[in-house]
Amino acid sequence: MKIYFESWIHNQDISEDAQILFDEAFMCYRVGAYRASLLMSYLGFMKALRDRLLNSDTPDLYHEEDWKKKRNDLRDDKVWEETVFTTINEKHKKLGKVFLINNDLIEEVSYWRKKRNDCAHAKDSIIGNSHVESFWLFLESNLAKFVVNGGKQALLLKIKKHFDPKFTKPGTDFYYLINDLPLVVRQGELSELLQEIYSGYVSLDAFANEEQKSFWNEIAYSPNDALNKAFLEFVVSNEDTFVSFIEMFPDRLILCTEEKELIRLLWKDFLFKKIGNYSETFWDIAITLLRNKLIPEDEIAGFIRRLVQNINAASLPNPEQTTILKKFGLFKAIKDTIFSSGILNKKYVGYDNANKNASKIIYYLKNETLDIDVVRELNTLFKSYSFGHLYGKMMKWIEENPPIIDHFGEIANENNLSLAEFFTKGKNELEE
């Protein structure tokens, strides 16, 4: 029997000790030992809170020496559970509570403590499966809310030191920092914490190193639901953040589809002006937009034409990307722009257009079948065109693909075109 809460708790950031207690609770639940199951679940909860307290720096309402004593009690097998419970209830008029929770939640913990005592001391109260399941629902709703007061600044200091080579050797494991993120602020404040980290501690700009990129990668793909949700809220919080993170993690774009305005700005402006075709993910982002129908159908053709303008020797789609883009009419747009438009044989500027579009022309020829329109334009061009960027690329392409010259000649003959010397010479030289 699969228990939903079992899967849920295994995806939370709790210690192995706490997880063991929950696993015992599941075993008891399956055999109908509901008292034992509730007791083990409660102890797992207490153990998880104990670990948060031990992993936290001194909360705002404690002096350092008092907190050291509290830590010692939390490590004492005889008093740790009682210490956690009393800590939950502690408050200070000006400095607040140890855990950033409201009074209603404190009262709920007291209720479940009474139920825990009913189970432990074999009282007459009936404990059934509904009690256990209600407690699990309580944990699903509230476990993330038990945030230690004052932990945020301590964590930011740890992050600052971790990414400063004066304090920490580069390559040192940073996962403990990510695990603590949901534990130092309320869930609703987590996205703001990520923004603070991004703005002041761990960048993701052109100068970011691999360790910084890896840090954000772990957050972007975190299995923690709260952190995952906060990450998306953070990413769409402003345009610059959105651009930076979508460029780094283009597949996360599909999680932002509700942000209609940002999506439109992305394909209309950001992709071409802020990200640019020099980016390694330029074509991935374009494909993600197309495949997920994030561009209105009647505006796709215009978007494809802009993609054509961004094809050059330094920015060519790879074979897999090419296959996808072909389905969206990329090569039709290239043909319309270069061959059907007649720009290669336009008076005074034909040679310039040929040289300027050399990489694009070769890319087209490598991936699309020759037809009369393409053959006619190239044949006319090469009747007088004898040197330049395209000339050298065409010679190399023909050398690497000898059969293409025959195919070119066949189409020319079928349409009564007189072949330019370049194509007859190319054929003769290859045959020699």
Side-chain angles (χ1 to χ4, degrees):
M1 178 179 61
K2 186 69 174 177
I3 303 172
Y4 172 77
F5 180 77
E6 186 174 4
S7 300
W8 183 85
I9 198 67
H10 276 276
N11 287 323
Q12 305 309 303
D13 293 315
I14 62 174
S15 68
E16 185 178 353
D17 287 344
Q19 195 65 70
I20 288 172
L21 290 168
F22 279 113
D23 287 341
E24 287 186 25
F26 301 137
M27 287 190 287
C28 295
Y29 180 87
R30 287 188 169 94
V31 297
Y34 300 123
R35 287 180 181 273
S37 181
L38 182 56
L39 176 58
M40 290 298 106
S41 296
Y42 178 86
L43 290 175
F45 170 50
M46 288 288 108
K47 188 76 77 171
L49 297 190
R50 185 203 72 152
D51 295 334
R52 291 184 186 183
L53 292 167
L54 287 173
N55 291 330
S56 173
D57 286 86
T58 306
D60 291 344
L61 67 163
Y62 267 86
H63 293 296
E64 188 66 36
E65 289 303 314
D66 292 334
W67 187 242
K68 285 182 180 178
K69 181 181 183 307
K70 174 76 73 174
R71 282 173 173 271
N72 290 333
D73 290 341
L74 289 168
R75 294 190 181 98
D76 189 330
D77 287 342
K78 296 178 181 178
V79 298
W80 74 266
E81 184 193 343
E82 182 65 27
T83 303
V84 173
F85 181 75
T86 56
T87 303
I88 292 172
N89 286 272
E90 286 177 8
K91 23 178 117 164
H92 187 282
K93 283 185 179 180
K94 292 184 178 180
L95 300 176
K97 311 179 185 77
V98 176
F99 284 106
L100 298 175
I101 53 177
N102 59 37
N103 292 331
D104 290 341
L105 195 49
I106 292 174
E107 290 177 8
E108 285 194 67
V109 174
S110 296
Y111 167 81
W112 287 113
R113 177 178 170 82
K114 290 176 183 175
K115 289 299 175 187
R116 167 252 191 259
N117 290 336
D118 288 347
C119 297
H121 303 299
K123 294 187 178 181
D124 291 338
S125 301
I126 296 174
I127 300 294
N129 65 309
S130 61
H131 291 91
V132 181
E133 292 166 10
S134 294
F135 181 62
W136 289 345
L137 288 172
F138 164 78
L139 293 181
E140 285 181 52
S141 300
N142 299 301
L143 183 58
K145 297 176 183 176
F146 286 83
V147 174
V148 179
N149 190 359
K152 173 185 170 183
Q153 292 306 319
L155 179 60
L156 289 175
L157 180 59
K158 289 178 185 177
I159 291 173
K160 181 180 179 180
K161 286 188 173 182
H162 183 92
F163 288 95
D164 187 337
K166 295 196 300 289
F167 296 98
T168 308
K169 180 182 177 182
T172 302
D173 189 351
F174 53 70
Y175 295 106
Y176 73 101
L177 299 172
I178 295 176
N179 290 337
D180 283 351
L181 286 173
L183 307 180
V184 298
V185 293
R186 294 183 178 93
Q187 191 166 326
E189 299 170 349
L190 193 47
S191 63
E192 295 175 12
L193 175 60
L194 294 178
Q195 180 64 60
E196 196 168 344
I197 293 170
Y198 174 62
S199 301
Y201 300 89
V202 187
S203 67
L204 193 64
D205 56 22
F207 303 102
N209 58 41
E210 289 304 313
E211 190 172 20
Q212 290 170 318
K213 293 176 183 177
S214 181
F215 175 84
W216 285 114
N217 182 79
E218 292 303 318
I219 293 175
Y221 299 98
S222 171
N224 182 287
D225 291 338
L227 187 55
N228 200 267
K229 180 182 177 182
F231 172 75
L232 293 176
E233 290 175 359
F234 153 62
V235 166
V236 300
S237 60
N238 65 67
E239 294 177 1
D240 290 337
T241 305
F242 179 71
V243 170
S244 295
F245 279 86
I246 292 305
E247 180 179 3
M248 182 59 61
F249 311 113
D251 60 328
R252 300 285 87 180
L253 179 59
I254 60 174
L255 303 179
C256 306
T257 54
E258 295 302 313
E259 303 296 325
K260 305 295 184 185
E261 185 176 298
L262 280 176
I263 295 291
R264 186 168 183 85
L265 282 168
L266 177 63
W267 66 265
K268 290 286 285 185
D269 187 81
F270 299 159
L271 179 62
F272 302 102
K273 295 180 181 178
K274 292 191 174 185
I275 295 175
N277 61 357
Y278 54 84
S279 172
E280 292 181 0
T281 59
F282 175 84
W283 294 106
D284 286 330
I285 295 170
I287 288 171
T288 300
L289 287 163
L290 291 166
R291 294 181 82 172
N292 291 280
K293 300 180 179 179
L294 299 178
I295 302 173
E297 192 169 344
D298 60 344
E299 296 185 89
I300 290 177
F303 178 70
I304 294 295
R305 285 194 294 272
R306 292 191 71 183
L307 290 182
V308 168
Q309 295 170 9
N310 283 271
I311 296 175
N312 56 47
S315 179
L316 289 174
N318 63 38
E320 183 180 351
Q321 293 167 339
T322 296
T323 299
I324 297 168
L325 290 166
K326 188 172 185 177
K327 297 176 182 178
F328 288 96
L330 182 73
F331 292 103
K332 181 183 182 305
I334 295 176
K335 182 180 177 182
D336 291 344
T337 303
I338 296 177
F339 301 111
S340 300
S341 66
I343 64 169
L344 298 182
N345 294 294
K346 195 171 184 178
K347 194 173 183 180
Y348 303 123
V349 295
Y351 292 176
D352 287 340
N353 288 333
N355 291 326
K356 188 164 55 178
N357 290 286
S359 295
K360 202 177 299 182
I361 290 170
I362 298 301
Y363 175 66
Y364 178 91
L365 295 175
K366 286 181 176 180
N367 292 283
E368 195 54 281
T369 304
L370 287 174
D371 62 20
I372 181 56
D373 296 327
V374 175
V375 169
R376 182 188 291 112
E377 288 300 302
L378 290 175
N379 191 57
T380 301
L381 172 68
F382 277 87
K383 282 185 176 179
S384 55
Y385 178 70
S386 56
F387 65 91
H389 194 40
L390 178 62
Y391 192 93
K393 282 184 172 290
M394 283 290 291
M395 284 296 295
K396 183 179 179 182
W397 177 62
I398 291 171
E399 288 171 4
E400 293 174 350
N401 302 274
I404 204 70
I405 201 74
D406 289 328
H407 187 35
F408 194 97
E410 289 170 5
I411 294 175
N413 290 333
E414 289 171 1
N415 291 274
N416 299 316
L417 295 180
S418 174
L419 274 177
E421 183 181 353
F422 174 86
F423 295 106
T424 58
K425 182 176 71 171
K427 179 179 180 180
N428 293 335
E429 287 179 355
L430 287 170
E431 288 176 346
E432 291 177 5

